[in-house]
Amino acid sequence: MGQFGTEFCDHFAIARFKNNAWSNAAIEPLQPLALHPAAHVFHYASTCFEGFKAYKWDDGKAHIFRLADHIARMQRSAESLRLPIPDADLLASMVTDLVARQVDDIPAPPSSLYLRPTLIGTLENIGAAASPSTEAILFVLASPVGDYFAGGSKALKLLVETERARSTEQLGSTKTGGNYAAALGPTLEAKKKYGVDQVLFCPHGDVQETGAANFLVIGDNEIITKPLDSTFLHGMTRDSILKLAAENGYKVTEKNFTVSELLELVKSHEAALSGTAACLSPVGTLVYKDEEIKVRDGNAGPNTEKLRKALQDIQYGLAPDTHGWLTDVS
Ligand SMILES: *Cc1c(COP(=O)(O)O)cnc(C)c1O
């Protein structure tokens, strides 16, 4: 398998919205889309996406993680961008039909099939900066992906950015292209200047998240993270880890905390990034005001490992799915 996101199944699912209605969805050979150069998305960034995985177990079936929750999040993203909202049943059947067709292409855990529903505004109107795209295309890509930690899970180094924000109040919890464009410049600068892996965005000292993952502080018996608000993406991995942590006896504290509080916490607590691609990744070093600060001893810690394993055991079919998180497809 190539690098994450570079290999695709030979079919994809597609549906179109026009004249106030969704067309029937179709599974088609993967091919370039023909779009008018005036399409709304090219000019006004009317686009949102989702990302989640299907795992193939020994039972020969694919098991999609938190499908309904990801669809609900995509509906919220579409609504915030004033794009036509994908019908939940339509999108669910696009995903499950595609997964059923490609089930033989899904590698065994820890590899998986990454699914990428995408919605774009296709209204042909370059005068529509202040009006919504009333036409859209919804498609679902499928991409076989390998184990994120194949090279071992080394603890990440993050730059603590206290000036600039990753996104805005309006779009922070929307999974939309512009947010990644906004995070790109600061992230590339930080990689070059400090050799970090990612930037932890903490505008005005408020510890939020990195460019594409949520941030959690994990102690021996508590887990601390920012409460849901409109400034950051509401990760399904974050939510799943918090539920599993509570069941494993951790005290779950969702509260706002500052960079000063974070620097104090990491003397005794682990830190981690959460997201579908990497599940739960340990953070070993923070760079703040040109200084490197170790998170505990700078290495991956046992609580992060334990919680990651608890989640992956469910995803890989090694522990019972007591939350109804998986959708079976054969
Ligand atoms: C997708 C994403 C996450 C992680 O969400 P999951 O549902 O856990 O994959 C976190 N932050 C940002 C900015 C994201 O785009």
Side-chain angles (χ1 to χ4, degrees), residues 49-51 70 73 166 175 180 209-214 233-238 274-277:
F49 66 92
E50 269 305 319
H70 282 280
R73 189 170 73 187
R166 178 193 68 93
K175 217 166 170 68
Y180 309 91
E209 63 170 329
T210 65
N214 294 135
L233 206 285
H234 303 172
M236 238 43 90
T237 314
R238 170 194 178 280
S274 75
T276 293

Side-chain angles (χ1 to χ4, degrees), residues 2-330:
Q3 239 196 321
F4 182 93
T6 60
E7 210 172 282
F8 302 99
C9 292
D10 60 5
H11 281 69
F12 78 140
I14 184 160
R16 291 180 165 79
F17 188 88
K18 210 173 176 165
N19 301 325
N20 262 319
W22 286 100
S23 67
N24 287 334
I27 304 279
E28 296 179 359
L30 183 63
Q31 63 199 337
L33 295 171
L35 290 175
H36 195 286
H40 198 273
V41 60
F42 293 144
H43 306 271
Y44 307 119
S46 48
T47 171
C48 59
F49 66 92
E50 269 305 319
F52 50 89
K53 288 175 172 174
Y55 301 88
K56 189 155 132 192
W57 296 356
D58 289 342
D59 63 5
K61 290 183 194 164
H63 302 265
I64 307 172
F65 189 66
R66 303 202 66 168
L67 175 62
D69 297 309
H70 282 280
I71 289 174
R73 189 170 73 187
M74 182 136 194
Q75 291 182 311
R76 290 194 297 276
S77 288
E79 187 173 22
S80 85
L81 297 164
R82 308 303 190 267
L83 274 162
I85 297 172
D87 182 74
D89 294 334
L90 171 86
L91 180 50
S93 62
M94 287 170 75
V95 171
T96 52
D97 289 354
L98 183 64
V99 169
R101 195 182 192 288
Q102 308 289 167
V103 76
D104 292 340
D105 297 343
I106 308 179
S111 297
S112 61
L113 188 69
Y114 181 79
L115 295 151
R116 171 57 68 89
T118 308
L119 177 67
I120 57 173
T122 53
L123 183 72
E124 296 164 11
N125 183 351
I126 55 170
S131 52
S133 180
T134 51
E135 296 180 4
I137 291 179
L138 174 66
F139 60 83
V140 183
L141 282 171
S143 170
V145 294
D147 180 11
Y148 201 87
F149 295 105
S153 80
K154 83 163 182 37
L156 301 168
K157 191 199 268 198
L158 309 183
L159 176 71
V160 177
E161 162 70 66
T162 54
E163 306 286 319
R164 294 178 290 186
R166 178 193 68 93
S167 177
T168 60
E169 199 80 38
Q170 305 91 285
L171 290 178
S173 60
T174 299
K175 217 166 170 68
T176 186
N179 287 340
Y180 309 91
L184 186 58
T187 304
L188 292 184
E189 281 171 32
K191 283 185 178 181
K192 191 167 169 201
K193 188 157 176 206
Y194 299 102
V196 295
D197 299 291
Q198 290 296 332
V199 173
L200 179 61
F201 289 93
C202 310
H204 315 295
D206 174 35
V207 180
Q208 295 182 344
E209 63 170 329
T210 65
N214 294 135
F215 183 74
L216 309 169
V217 175
I218 308 173
D220 289 337
N221 43 35
E222 72 172 333
I223 182 160
I224 304 165
T225 196
K226 188 174 170 61
L228 298 181
D229 67 21
S230 67
T231 62
F232 76 105
L233 206 285
H234 303 172
M236 238 43 90
T237 314
R238 170 194 178 280
D239 182 74
S240 306
I241 291 287
L242 293 187
K243 292 199 165 102
L244 293 175
E247 290 167 14
N248 280 276
Y250 290 79
K251 177 175 171 237
V252 174
T253 305
E254 295 183 71
K255 63 164 187 187
N256 287 308
F257 56 101
T258 63
V259 168
S260 330
E261 288 169 313
L262 171 63
L263 298 180
E264 205 46 47
L265 277 169
V266 297
K267 291 176 183 166
S268 55
H269 289 56
E270 299 165 32
L273 296 185
S274 75
T276 293
C279 196
L280 196 61
S281 311
V283 173
T285 310
L286 301 174
V287 180
Y288 178 62
K289 294 198 168 153
D290 290 337
E291 218 184 294
E292 292 207 357
I293 295 140
K294 287 219 178 331
V295 175
R296 292 181 353 138
D297 64 357
N299 296 312
N303 294 290
T304 302
E305 294 294 320
K306 178 174 151 186
L307 289 169
R308 185 174 86 208
K309 186 170 186 307
L311 178 53
Q312 288 182 330
D313 280 354
I314 295 170
Q315 294 170 330
Y316 300 170
L318 304 173
D321 171 28
T322 57
H323 306 86
W325 282 341
L326 294 161
T327 301
D328 303 352
V329 178
S330 50

